[in-house]
Structure formats: structure tokens, C-alpha cells
Amino acid sequence: MDIFLQQMVNGLTIGSLYALVALGYTMVYGVMRLINFAHGDLVAFSAFIGLSVYAQIFGESATSLGVIITVFALTALSVACVGVLLERLAYRPLRTAPRLSAVVSALGAGLVIQNSVMLIWGPNMKIFPSNLFPSTIWAVGGIVITFTQVMILGVSSVLMVGLYFFIHQTKIGTAIRAVAIDQDAAKLMGINVNRIIMIIFIIGSALGAVAGLFIGSYYRGITFDMGWMYGLNAFVAAIMGGIGNIPGAMLGGLLLGLFNAMITGYISTQWAETFTFVLLIAILVLRPTGILGETVAEKV
Amino acid sequence: MMNKSTLITLCLLVFMGFFPLFVDSAWLAIGTTFLVFSVVALSQDIILGRAGVFHMGHAMFFGLGAYTTAILNVNFGLPILATLLPAVLIPMFFAFLLVAPIIHLRGDYLLVATIGFNIIFIQVLENDVFGLTGGPNGLFGIDVVKLFGYELSSQTHMYYMAFLLLGITLLIIRNLDRSKFGRAMFYIHKDEIAAQSMGINIRYFKLYAFILGAGIAGAAGSMFSIQYSAVSPEAFNVTQSIMFFTIVLVGGSASLPGILIGTFIMFVLPEMFREFETARYLVFGIAMILTMILRPRGIWPVRFGNIPSFLKKEVK
């Protein structure tokens, strides 16, 4: 039972990281119908940026709430800039092109980001500083919970709830939903579609940056090519929940995290990926548009 | 009867046929690799470019063919020629088994499901299932082809075997284009809903394209394992699949010269510029983005309007 609860905690932690990354995929997909294959690499990039920001500005030993907030804010800001640049250079020129052209462009952008990281920070694994968060550990009835895990669970829940209300309650959120439904109609209603897409990329990249920093401080070792793995898992989470659907991405992320933790805890780590994709395919066979996806009639 | 693109294809084939006469063995190896990967890219094009099925796991079928030959030869001692038929049929069987239940999925869902198949395939290989696949190191020591007592083992032999394979593939595609299946695929790609209303069974034809493509890729995989006399999992991972996917779209989907140019750019150019090892993929990524921005339909797109040219000609 202890193992079960421990894996539950671990699973929820990984799951909320997946969910944060999945939100970036699902928002871009919802508005542009584009699989943003570069998003995973952006997450890896943000872990490296965060590492540099922390080491360069504060040195390796500083630890306080102010430091944490500054590191997160600076990382999110710079990664959001990269995200906007990505959209401007690689995706905007292709908005009217065939859909798969934009996918190739996204794959190319992913290669560019991944290899830039390799050229800047080197091909070897970097160790993320352990003292960004206090190393407090709580033991509750046989389960170990670290401060980092609590931070991950807390911050990502706040961000997810915040995003949900932002999308559903504010004026910009309404505009985003309008653009997602019909870009031309939204344009006719006076919505600046380019600006909305920019906002989408800012939010998605910033959430990815937070996830990247958390991944760095949770797993400690970061490599230039780790983005592909997290990206793919998060993308699978988004698909499971029903891509384009924001609560779906959150649900998919948590579900996948829990599932992964249970598989690695009870069955094997060697076959973890296999189980992930078997689950995905099973869900798709039963519900072809994901768990929370709606069945939309194709437009003729 | 002969149009411009047939002429270009023929010229290219003649050039490729005489290629081994004036190059050294290193270039011959690159040439052989080019031929094998061209065949795989063409088979990916049948699925992605012609039938319009979003498919990003093609290295799996390539690998299934290669491993079929390797396993039957190394573990069971079958002669290479006897493994050729299974190397085509087994990928076809798996294509049917895996894709039939999900072929109706919307494009992007299918894309990620096929990536999933490829990842599962790699895990099966690396975990050495039933002790057959040799784990992460793969299998080596594959025999040479023996035909009527002759050993076809030199680099030139390999080249001409791959050349023959490419020739057969081009013949299959030409026949496909002129058949009922080719026309059906063309209309499915053009407008799926209209095709469906005309009574074309979309699932059937998409699956047909998938199985055909898997079979051809399997044959290429068999050739690949003969060329290197070894197979290992990383030659068939998702990165390779993404390469084949990219070749079709960068070259120009459903266009033969486009696919060959795409293969050249993606597989031969990197071989030629080994010295720029570290920055190579950065340049590659930039080139992919630029190509798509400047030529969204690929470098050498097919030129046909609403009615494919081979149908128009019969009307004249």
C-alpha cells in the first residue's frame, strides 16, 4: 500500500509536469491546427536557460523566495520571447500552406532549438543546482514527499486553474476561443488574429518554461536532447485528453503521469514507453477523439 | 507518349545504371544507400503522399523487413533468397494488423499512433524478445546472397541489387498510378468527403496503400541488412521515420523526382559533409524551415490540376 501511495504522489508530480507541457501543445493545436513539434525542445531549452540565469546572476548557492521567483520569471520571459520568435519565423509564413508543411517546419524548428542548445551548453549532461528549492522532506505515514514535489503540484495546479479562468472569464480568453472556432469569423468581429496567436505562444512557452525548470530541479540531470521525450509524452497526454481541449490536456497529463508511475512501480521500466502507447492506442480505438474530445462533424 | 518527367526519370535511371563504372567503393556505398533509402522514401510516399495517410512510423516497416532477413538467416540459417518473401509479407501483415483498427482516425491522431508503433517496435528489439533480436547490439554476420553458385558479395553487386529493387519499385508505382487503386487514392487525397460520396471505400484504399507501402519498405529493409550484413535497432528509430516523413514533404509528395531529390538532400548530402558534424543538424533544421516557407508543396511538386494528367491524355 505504501508503494501504491508513493507512486501515486510521484505520478501526480510527473503528471502535472506533463500537463503543463501538454497545455502548450493543445492551445497551439486548438487555434492553429498545428502539432508544434518544437515545443518539447523549447521545454529542454528553458531548463538550460534557467540553469544559466540561476548560476550567472545569483551564483550556485543563493536560495530564497525572491531568487526562485526571479529565476522563474526571467526564464519564462526569455522562453516566451523564443516562442514568439518561433511563431513569427517558422509558422506564420506557413499559415495558408498545406497542413503538413507546417509540421515539417515545426520539426525543423525543433532541430534548430535542440542543436543550438547543444552548441551553446555542450553535448554532455548538465547537473541542475539542488539548492534552488530547499531540500526539505516530509514523511507522511511512510510516504516521502519532497519540497520540490509540493512546489510542482502547487504551482502547476494554480497555473492550470488560472489558465482555465483566463480562457473562460476574460476578454482575451473569449477572443482565443473565438479564434479557435473560426479564424475568419473572428477576424470579421474585429479580433486581431495575429495578436491572439502571439498570446497563445507566449502562454504556452511560459508554461513550458515553468515545466522545464521543474523538470530540471526534479530530475537534476538535463541533456540537450531530453525535450523530445517530454514533448512526446506531453503530446500523447494532450491526444489522450482530446487535443485542442484545455481541461483534456490537464486530465490527460495527470492520467499519463499516474499510469507511468504505476507501470514503473509495479511492472517494469524497460517497457514503460510500450505501455504508454498501448494505452494511447486503446483510448483512441475506444474514443477516436480522446477522452474529453468532442465528435465534430467534418465540414464539407 | 513520353512526357518530360518520364524522360527525366529515364535519364536518371541510365545515369544511375552506369554510376558504378566511374566511382570508387566509398561512393558506391553511398550510392547503394541512396538507392535503398529512395525505395523506402517512395514507399512512404505511397502512404503519405498518394493516399494522404499521416504516417510517421515508416522506419518500423523498414526495420521489420531488415530484421526478418537477419533473424531468419542468422538464427535459423535460411539462405538470403528464401528470406526475401517473408521480409515483404511480414511487414505487410503487421501493417494490416496494427493499422486496420485505427485507419479511420483523424490525421494527427494517426500520426502519433504510428510514432507509437515505431517506439514499441524499438523497445521490442532492445529488450531482445524471445532472444531473437540480439538486444541493443542487434544481429550481425548475415550471409551474402548466393545465386546459382555465385556469391554476390562485392560493393558493385550490392549496388545493382539495390538498383534492381528501385527499378521494381518504380514499376509498381507506375502501375499503381494507372490502376483503379491509384485513381482512388488520388481522389481521396484531393477531397476525402467527395470521394466517399462517389462510393470510394476510403478505409479500404488507405489500408491498401499502407500495406503496399509496408511491403516495399520491407523489401528495402531486407536489402539494407544484406548491404551492411548487420542490423541494429537505432537504424529504425523514430528519428529515421521522421526523416522519411520529411523527405516526402520536402521533396514534394506524390512526385517521383521530388522524392529522389528529397532522399539525396536528407541522406547523401549529410554523408558528403561529415566534417561539419556538430552544426550539421542546425543547418538542416534551418533548411527545412526555409524550404517549407519558400516552397510549401516541396522542392519539385507534382503538377496536376483537378484531373491527373494520365487521365487527360486518353481523352485527347
Side-chain angles (χ1 to χ4, degrees):
Chain A
M1 198 59 194
D2 279 356
I3 301 176
F4 180 77
L5 289 174
Q6 183 68 57
Q7 288 302 55
M8 191 100 172
V9 172
N10 296 349
L12 283 176
T13 313
I14 310 167
S16 39
L17 291 178
Y18 287 156
L20 280 182
V21 184
L23 284 171
Y25 280 105
T26 216
M27 280 198 296
V28 170
Y29 189 89
V31 171
M32 297 174 77
R33 305 282 146 200
L34 162 75
I35 307 172
N36 181 11
F37 274 109
H39 192 59
D41 292 306
L42 213 57
V43 171
F45 172 70
S46 58
F48 280 88
I49 281 280
L51 176 72
S52 284
V53 167
Y54 184 58
Q56 298 296 321
I57 300 180
F58 301 104
E60 291 277 343
S61 57
T63 172
S64 76
L65 192 64
V67 171
I68 295 176
I69 290 173
T70 324
V71 169
F72 271 84
L74 282 177
T75 308
L77 196 68
S78 41
V79 175
C81 288
V82 177
V84 170
L85 210 65
L86 179 75
E87 191 271 325
R88 187 73 195 80
L89 297 177
Y91 300 149
R92 194 178 294 183
L94 284 164
R95 220 173 278 166
T96 52
R99 281 185 58 202
L100 286 178
S101 313
V103 171
V104 172
S105 187
L107 289 167
L111 268 184
V112 171
I113 296 174
Q114 193 187 81
N115 284 279
S116 307
V117 170
M118 191 195 74
L119 290 175
I120 297 169
W121 283 280
N124 299 324
M125 180 186 270
K126 292 264 175 212
I127 299 299
F128 210 81
S130 59
N131 45 8
L132 182 59
F133 296 124
S135 54
T136 321
I137 289 173
W138 291 282
V140 189
I143 316 161
V144 179
I145 304 173
T146 65
F147 187 85
T148 316
Q149 283 181 319
V150 174
M151 277 296 283
I152 292 173
L153 287 169
V155 172
S156 48
S157 334
V158 169
L159 285 177
M160 283 190 263
V161 173
L163 182 72
Y164 187 81
F165 281 107
F166 176 75
I167 296 284
H168 286 271
Q169 306 288 336
T170 64
K171 217 172 162 184
I172 298 176
T174 313
I176 290 174
R177 281 183 292 143
V179 174
I181 293 166
D182 189 333
Q183 288 201 11
D184 290 327
K187 230 178 256 172
L188 291 175
M189 303 313 289
I191 294 171
N192 185 342
V193 172
N194 279 338
R195 222 190 70 195
I196 294 300
I197 289 178
M198 211 171 87
I199 291 172
I200 289 289
F201 270 87
I202 290 174
I203 299 173
S205 310
L207 291 176
V210 174
L213 276 173
F214 278 141
I215 287 170
S217 45
Y218 187 58
Y219 292 101
R220 304 290 310 285
I222 51 176
T223 54
F224 75 96
D225 54 359
M226 70 176 191
W228 166 249
M229 263 303 304
Y230 289 102
L232 194 64
N233 273 308
F235 184 60
V236 167
I239 290 258
M240 276 180 190
I243 195 159
N245 182 319
I246 287 175
M250 301 173 191
L251 181 72
L254 291 177
L255 191 74
L256 186 63
L258 279 175
F259 182 74
N260 269 357
M262 293 307 160
I263 291 296
T264 47
Y266 285 101
I267 301 177
S268 93
T269 48
Q270 279 171 324
W271 291 98
E273 294 266 277
T274 301
F275 280 104
T276 303
F277 281 97
V278 169
L279 175 71
L280 171 78
I281 291 160
I283 288 179
L284 287 184
V285 168
L286 296 174
R287 278 194 67 88
T289 50
I291 301 169
L292 293 186
E294 283 146 41
T295 12
V296 275
E298 291 284 340
K299 273 178 254 172
V300 181
Chain B
M1 192 59 212
M2 207 185 270
N3 60 24
K4 210 170 113 194
S5 70
T6 327
L7 204 67
I8 295 170
T9 316
L10 273 182
C11 286
L12 191 77
L13 281 180
V14 171
F15 169 74
M16 296 297 288
F18 287 110
F19 181 74
L21 298 181
F22 36 78
V23 291
D24 60 2
S25 68
W27 275 99
L28 209 52
I30 293 180
T32 313
T33 312
F34 169 72
L35 292 172
V36 172
F37 282 130
S38 298
V39 173
V40 187
L42 287 169
S43 65
Q44 163 98 58
D45 181 52
I46 294 176
I47 303 170
L48 174 69
R50 286 163 196 272
V53 180
F54 290 15
H55 168 42
M56 213 192 251
H58 206 53
M60 173 187 170
F61 299 113
F62 183 41
L64 269 174
Y67 265 90
T68 304
T69 292
I71 290 173
L72 288 181
N73 182 253
V74 175
N75 294 337
F76 297 101
L78 257 69
I80 295 286
L81 287 179
T83 68
L84 289 182
L85 191 64
V88 174
L89 291 181
I90 287 178
M92 288 171 106
F93 171 71
F94 273 97
F96 174 74
L97 194 74
L98 297 175
V99 181
I102 58 163
I103 192 79
H104 60 284
L105 290 180
R106 242 170 53 196
D108 308 290
Y109 293 80
L110 201 58
L111 195 75
V112 73
T114 50
I115 294 179
F117 288 142
N118 199 331
I119 287 179
I120 294 173
F121 175 64
I122 294 297
Q123 287 213 317
V124 168
L125 294 182
E126 285 184 342
N127 287 327
D128 202 3
V129 174
F130 308 125
L132 286 176
T133 66
N137 298 323
L139 291 168
F140 26 89
I142 295 165
D143 263 345
V144 295
V145 181
K146 290 193 194 76
L147 197 62
F148 306 122
Y150 288 104
E151 287 204 343
L152 303 176
S153 57
S154 79
Q155 203 53 255
T156 318
H157 289 143
M158 299 290 175
Y159 183 88
Y160 279 112
M161 278 192 277
F163 188 66
L164 182 71
L165 186 64
L166 179 67
I168 295 171
T169 310
L170 289 175
L171 207 65
I172 291 174
I173 289 176
R174 201 194 71 144
N175 289 342
L176 180 73
D177 273 349
R178 295 181 175 180
S179 71
K180 174 184 154 195
F181 297 102
R183 284 199 300 279
M185 278 172 210
F186 174 82
Y187 290 116
I188 291 172
H189 198 179
K190 198 81 196 164
D191 190 335
E192 206 167 288
I193 291 148
Q196 202 161 24
S197 348
M198 297 308 287
I200 295 175
N201 186 343
I202 292 185
R203 271 182 87 155
Y204 172 74
F205 283 103
K206 280 185 170 176
L207 199 59
Y208 177 88
F210 218 104
I211 292 170
L212 181 65
I216 296 174
S222 188
M223 182 61 228
F224 185 80
S225 67
I226 296 167
Q227 189 197 349
Y228 290 98
S229 71
V231 286
S232 65
E234 70 261 27
F236 313 109
N237 61 19
V238 182
T239 318
Q240 291 286 342
S241 288
I242 292 176
M243 279 289 199
F244 292 124
F245 181 85
T246 311
I247 284 176
V248 170
L249 294 163
V250 164
S253 52
S255 129
L256 291 183
I259 305 299
L260 295 181
I261 291 171
T263 314
F264 182 80
I265 293 173
M266 289 290 177
F267 281 107
V268 183
L269 278 190
E271 291 285 331
M272 291 156 99
F273 293 105
R274 280 252 176 244
E275 53 267 43
F276 302 111
E277 191 75 58
T278 46
R280 201 170 73 200
Y281 286 101
L282 184 74
V283 179
F284 232 72
I286 296 171
M288 274 159 77
I289 300 173
L290 279 181
T291 317
M292 285 296 110
I293 290 173
L294 298 174
R295 297 189 71 83
R297 291 191 174 274
I299 295 170
W300 192 320
V302 271
R303 287 218 181 80
F304 41 51
N306 283 321
I307 302 169
S309 55
F310 59 87
L311 281 181
K312 272 189 199 159
K313 228 156 264 148
E314 285 164 20
V315 178
K316 260 181 212 169

